[in-house]
Amino acid sequence: MKATAKAHPNIALIKYWGKRDQKFNLPAVGSISITLQEMATVSTVEFQPDLKDDILILNGTKAKQIESKRVSNFLDLIRAEASFDFRAKVNSENNFPTGAGLASSASAFASLAVAGSRAAGLALSKSKLSELARRGSGSAARSIWGGFVEMKIGERSDGSDAVALQLADENYWDVGVVVAITSEKYKNIGSTKAMNDTARTSPFYGQWVFSSQKDLEEMRSAIFSRNFHKVGELSEFSCLKMHAVTLSARPGIIYWNKVTIECIECIRQLRKNNTAVYFTIDAGPQVKALCLSKDKNLVKRTLQKIKGVKNVIINSPGSGAEILNE
Ligand code: DP6
């Protein structure tokens, strides 16, 4: 009744922002991501018949109640599927800052889906694992797979077709994702609340949803033809469009700090000087630079020089979530 799994976060090139259903956590738009190899979450789940409550240890310390509750709710789905009611001890560790816009919820819930279902004795397919991970966090559905991944919006009301699938594996393309960390603090508004507030109040939300279909089609074809400039251009477009719709919520939600802007300017300057590099930013102030693998050290050195950049992590395309030991 114990299993350990490892999962990597992913960075969306075409963003997920908005839900069509809260209960099953169904996305209002599809999304496309790259899984990031050098960043990871390792989670162990152990169901114990004599435990009264679930216990969550996050990065070595007892988690806050809000985080424990979210994990307990997630474990309830596994318990229901396995038809038992044992509580669990969960230990989860990230090798990167948690809750700071670095997709820690993606790697956390992907690793919990894999470890939790195995510990409960369930043998789930990758598609079922993706569906389960989505209930924990929408972006986690993508981290079940490695490489380039597409999250389908799905049509069914129970969400059984709102799952991620792999477009190309981690060896398909020698690209790098250089992550510049500009703040290690918890973000002041989580993505779930922020996207719901945006959907409710932004005058541009309908257009965001409507225009996403074309972005997905173009990104898919840019990946399949290995057109790096097109992938990069679309990534910046989807990122800025997501932040624009978020800025237009009431009250407006601002995830960036001044170092975020400096990183954007630096990346665009590198591009003017003929390095193929593009940025994307999730619900937080960190900047992810997408480049060809041969340029990743140059991009790292350049971003590192910016005052206020706390750390820079180089990633290659990562593998899917997996069991570490039984
Ligand atoms: C900006 O997956 O964290 O990173 O489903 O509510 O848990 P919930 O949201 P979450 O949102 C991720 C938003 C994003 C874009 C993306 O990863 O596609």
Side-chain angles (χ1 to χ4, degrees):
M1 302 223 82
K2 178 177 179 180
T4 299
K6 180 178 187 170
H8 301 283
N10 64 78
I11 175 75
L13 304 176
I14 299 296
K15 304 291 184 197
Y16 149 52
W17 198 249
K19 300 175 196 283
R20 69 182 164 89
D21 176 89
Q22 302 290 329
K23 176 165 180 249
F24 290 101
N25 199 26
L26 303 178
V29 293
S31 52
I32 294 179
S33 61
I34 306 190
T35 307
L36 306 177
Q37 182 64 19
E38 279 70 21
M39 292 155 68
T41 302
V42 173
S43 297
T44 301
V45 177
E46 182 172 13
F47 290 103
Q48 296 179 353
D50 48 351
L51 266 185
K52 281 210 172 59
D53 288 308
D54 293 320
I55 302 170
L56 171 63
I57 309 291
L58 188 54
N59 299 318
T61 42
K62 199 162 177 289
K64 289 187 239 150
Q65 217 212 328
I66 184 162
E67 290 159 337
S68 301
K69 180 90 185 83
R70 193 167 171 192
V71 168
S72 274
N73 290 345
F74 184 71
L75 293 175
D76 284 345
L77 303 171
I78 296 177
R79 285 187 274 258
E81 185 78 23
S83 307
F84 67 60
D85 201 28
F86 302 148
R87 304 288 110 182
K89 188 163 180 211
V90 177
N91 189 62
S92 194
E93 302 242 351
N94 294 327
N95 70 351
F96 60 93
T98 303
L102 284 166
S104 53
S105 70
S107 48
F109 284 101
S111 64
L112 286 174
V114 173
S117 58
R118 179 64 70 95
L122 301 168
L124 302 183
S125 65
K126 284 244 185 202
S127 184
K128 281 282 163 204
L129 284 170
S130 176
E131 187 183 344
L132 175 62
R134 187 203 71 230
R135 301 286 300 270
S137 187
S139 51
R142 299 186 306 241
S143 275
I144 294 297
W145 296 99
F148 292 84
V149 181
E150 176 165 359
M151 175 69 193
K152 291 287 177 192
I153 175 173
E155 284 173 357
R156 295 188 206 131
S157 55
D158 67 354
S160 53
D161 57 351
V163 296
L165 49 85
Q166 189 175 56
L167 296 176
D169 75 14
E170 54 273 31
N171 304 311
Y172 172 74
W173 203 357
D174 218 1
V175 298
V177 177
V178 181
V179 179
I181 298 176
T182 67
S183 165
E184 292 179 346
K185 289 195 207 118
Y186 264 68
K187 51 191 166 195
N188 49 22
I189 173 163
S191 26
T192 307
K193 178 166 169 28
M195 66 174 81
N196 287 337
D197 288 359
T198 304
R200 216 182 51 250
T201 62
S202 166
F204 308 135
Y205 180 73
Q207 189 57 29
W208 158 257
V209 173
F210 176 73
S211 62
S212 68
Q213 199 56 37
K214 186 163 174 277
D215 301 343
L216 289 164
E217 278 161 27
E218 288 186 16
M219 181 58 87
R220 230 179 274 132
S221 98
I223 291 171
F224 289 146
S225 58
R226 289 196 180 86
N227 183 341
F228 186 77
H229 290 284
K230 187 74 188 170
V231 167
E233 191 267 318
L234 283 165
S235 300
E236 287 195 2
F237 175 57
S238 177
C239 161
L240 292 174
K241 195 160 52 151
M242 182 203 105
H243 284 275
V245 77
T246 304
L247 284 166
S248 68
R250 283 177 87 166
I253 300 157
I254 306 171
Y255 278 118
W256 301 356
N257 59 37
K258 58 185 184 198
V259 188
T260 312
I261 311 264
E262 283 182 48
C263 290
I264 291 176
E265 282 169 359
C266 166
I267 288 166
R268 289 198 158 166
Q269 190 56 46
L270 271 169
R271 207 152 76 223
K272 270 201 188 131
N273 299 339
N274 290 323
T275 302
V277 54
Y278 294 83
F279 65 83
T280 184
I281 303 160
D282 274 345
Q286 330 299 358
V287 179
K288 288 91 175 182
L290 178 69
C291 61
L292 295 170
S293 192
K294 67 176 177 61
D295 295 324
K296 62 192 182 191
N297 289 317
L298 166 74
V299 172
K300 176 177 176 171
R301 277 198 312 277
T302 313
L303 286 169
Q304 229 160 14
K305 282 191 201 134
I306 297 173
K307 197 164 163 273
V309 168
K310 300 206 171 344
N311 193 9
V312 180
I313 308 169
I314 291 184
N315 284 273
S316 42
S319 48
E322 59 183 357
I323 286 287
L324 282 190
N325 53 34
E326 311 265 337

